[in-house]
Amino acid sequence: MKLPVEGWPEVSGQGRVGAVRRVVLLALRDLRLEVRDRAGLLSILAFFAVMLFIMALALGPEEEPLRRAAPGVLWVALAFGSTLLSTRAFALEVEEGTLDDLLLAPGGKEWIYFGKLLFQMLLLLPLAALALLMAAGLFYLPLERLFPLFLTLVLGVLGYASVATFYAGLLARLRGREVLLPLLLFSLVVPVVLASVRATTGLAEGLPVAEISDWWQLLLVFDVVYLTASALLFPVVMEG
Amino acid sequence: MLLRLQGISKRFGRDWVVRDLSFTLERGEVVALLGPNGSGKTTLLRLMAGLLKPTRGQVERAGRTLFLPNPPAFHRHLTAREHLLYDLAFHHQGKEPEEALDRFGLPGDLPLYAFSSGMKKRLALARLTLLFPDIWLLDEPETALDKGGRELLLATLAEARKKAGVVLATHDRTLAERVADRTLELGVA
């Protein structure tokens, strides 16, 4: 059996390549666990499908109200999906009692944060693309603007998941973490959700890309700020 | 000095589990923690590992530390070989797990949900010998092991003594007397 990064430069120290290798390995290991377990993956897929269908039935069948509601519905689905997945990323460790092993690995603890975030992005982006296609079919989102829509999705999901991963790690060892996570998370990610919904609305209404780019820049700024702050604070909150 | 605890106390809510304890572990030393259930053995091991913060006092470690919980913690959807490979990579070590799997009599390709408690304990010992930390913190390492597993445990502890320091919590006084250089007896407050 070979690990997925076999053949990568073998770094025995704690250099940058070694850290990246650990991050990628942790993400791929979690992906392997999730695919073998299937419970988390199927519940998120089912959640996306059920939510989009119910909202389409409730708001349809006229095109105009569906198209107007599409960005909000899509981002509610993505926000809840990401929250479910971030809880899941640490639940994998807490349920099996393996979080301590990760914490005792040599070097800083930032790699755990980035590994868990990468795991979520690897799983969430294909799921989000699927949700986008479902929303395009059910809510008349313009498919010819798929690339800018997907870009909005990547920027929004990254900002959301970066904070969600941080809080999921912070709450990992607490009972009632599933209740606490949305309470703490939603107040902080309002700017990301707002910018994502506005960018998606603009694209659905056929606004030129130049007018959307302000929202993308705002999303990019929030992504960088949230990623940096979370990566810096994560080792502190994981201490004992 | 590998590990030093200075005036350590730990409180959960209103209950003091460990109170004003000082302790030093040297390389080449095996120390047994003895005491009834609830006397704070596991809490003390977790404090030593840095997995818990003391309410008072200081913990100093001068080396890589691993903690073997009871029962050992593994991802049940991975195989033994996969688990060891990932562990080795996370710890920046480029060794091969085959020899350790053979030595501890473990099937490499069986998912861990099919492992018995004793096999998981053997896997935990195999993991320790591969990662070979400076400080070994073992919580009841003898439980669930059969006769062969117990012999492997004794051999593993003998190896660890040569290059590392070991603290093991146990209820087995025979084991403690056989392997430990000294014992630390904890009582219930």
Side-chain angles (χ1 to χ4, degrees):
Chain A
M1 183 258 172
K2 281 181 184 292
L3 288 179
V5 291
E6 209 71 29
W8 281 37
E10 189 61 54
V11 175
S12 57
Q14 289 160 27
R16 198 173 295 166
V17 183
V20 172
R21 189 174 187 269
R22 281 207 295 192
V23 166
V24 174
L25 269 177
L26 179 59
L28 294 179
R29 187 208 66 176
D30 284 0
L31 211 54
R32 178 174 284 191
L33 288 169
E34 196 59 61
V35 168
R36 285 184 187 170
D37 188 28
R38 288 189 288 271
L41 200 61
L42 290 176
S43 64
I44 293 168
L45 265 175
F47 172 76
F48 278 171
V50 168
M51 187 186 159
L52 292 174
F53 274 112
I54 289 175
M55 294 305 284
L57 286 173
L59 298 165
E62 285 80 21
E63 185 177 333
E64 192 47 36
L66 280 172
R67 192 191 286 264
R68 234 181 307 127
V73 173
L74 179 66
W75 280 100
V76 168
L78 290 176
F80 279 106
S82 176
T83 310
L84 275 175
L85 203 56
S86 55
T87 313
R88 184 96 192 127
F90 282 94
L92 284 173
E93 309 295 346
V94 174
E95 283 166 13
E96 309 275 19
T98 49
L99 186 59
D100 292 345
D101 287 339
L102 292 181
L103 295 174
L104 289 177
K109 295 181 178 68
E110 300 85 354
W111 72 278
I112 303 172
Y113 169 77
F114 285 116
K116 294 292 179 189
L117 178 62
L118 182 61
F119 155 69
Q120 284 187 71
M121 294 302 288
L122 288 175
L123 204 56
L124 201 56
L125 282 179
L127 289 174
L130 195 67
L132 182 63
L133 289 176
M134 287 167 72
L138 292 166
F139 292 85
Y140 301 97
L141 273 177
L143 268 178
E144 66 273 13
R145 311 199 80 183
L146 207 57
F147 176 72
L149 278 170
F150 191 69
L151 177 65
T152 310
L153 205 135
V154 171
L155 291 171
V157 165
L158 178 62
Y160 196 95
S162 59
V163 186
T165 307
F166 170 76
Y167 274 126
L170 173 69
L171 302 171
R173 285 172 285 196
L174 295 182
R175 266 184 286 169
R177 54 185 174 266
E178 288 85 1
V179 180
L180 281 171
L181 182 65
L183 291 176
L184 289 171
L185 180 63
F186 290 150
S187 55
L188 206 62
V189 291
V190 165
V192 170
V193 175
L194 186 69
S196 303
V197 171
R198 296 307 292 266
T200 312
T201 306
L203 289 167
E205 287 171 354
L207 293 179
V209 167
E211 286 187 41
I212 310 294
S213 63
D214 285 348
W215 292 113
W216 287 341
Q217 283 172 23
L218 187 67
L219 278 172
L220 197 62
V221 169
F222 273 109
D223 287 358
V224 172
V225 170
Y226 284 163
L227 259 177
T228 312
S230 299
L232 287 173
L233 289 172
F234 187 80
V236 181
V237 300
M238 295 310 282
E239 287 289 331
Chain B
M1 184 278 295
L2 274 177
L3 176 70
R4 179 180 291 146
L5 274 62
Q6 284 180 309
I8 287 292
S9 298
K10 181 67 187 175
R11 188 176 62 184
F12 291 114
R14 289 180 179 179
D15 298 324
W16 290 95
V17 180
V18 178
R19 223 166 193 178
D20 197 23
L21 189 140
S22 295
F23 169 85
T24 308
L25 178 73
E26 301 291 341
R27 203 175 285 274
E29 196 177 23
V30 177
V31 178
L33 293 182
L34 296 168
N37 297 131
S39 58
K41 298 187 296 296
T42 303
T43 301
L44 189 54
L45 287 176
R46 293 178 67 81
L47 285 163
M48 288 173 177
L51 294 167
L52 279 178
K53 262 187 188 167
T55 310
R56 287 188 206 139
Q58 274 192 325
V59 181
E60 289 173 57
R61 280 177 301 277
R64 285 188 309 115
T65 307
L66 278 184
F67 170 56
L68 165 60
N70 183 39
F74 293 110
H75 287 290
R76 62 202 157 98
H77 286 288
L78 291 179
T79 66
R81 182 177 289 108
E82 286 170 343
H83 222 299
L84 292 179
L85 279 168
Y86 281 117
D87 284 334
L88 285 164
F90 294 156
H91 286 257
H92 294 299
Q93 294 194 24
K95 296 178 192 166
E96 287 294 327
E98 297 308 323
E99 203 182 314
L101 287 170
D102 286 346
R103 182 183 164 197
F104 286 87
L106 294 166
D109 297 320
L110 200 63
L112 293 183
Y113 59 70
F115 270 40
S116 68
S117 312
M119 286 162 82
K120 283 184 190 163
K121 201 50 92 63
R122 282 177 180 232
L123 179 59
L125 292 174
R127 180 177 181 271
L128 278 165
T129 57
L130 276 171
L131 299 176
F132 218 97
D134 301 295
I135 304 166
W136 297 41
L137 304 171
L138 315 177
D139 195 2
E140 299 185 30
E142 77 285 358
T143 50
L145 285 175
D146 57 12
K147 194 180 168 205
R150 200 176 161 92
E151 279 164 17
L152 283 166
L153 169 65
L154 293 172
T156 306
L157 287 172
E159 277 171 42
R161 181 198 293 277
K162 288 177 193 164
K163 296 182 194 166
V166 182
V167 182
L168 66 97
T170 182
H171 292 287
D172 185 339
R173 284 187 179 270
T174 317
L175 176 72
E177 281 163 17
R178 185 158 173 193
V179 301
D181 301 299
R182 57 192 165 102
T183 58
L184 190 63
E185 189 97 28
L186 302 179
V188 181

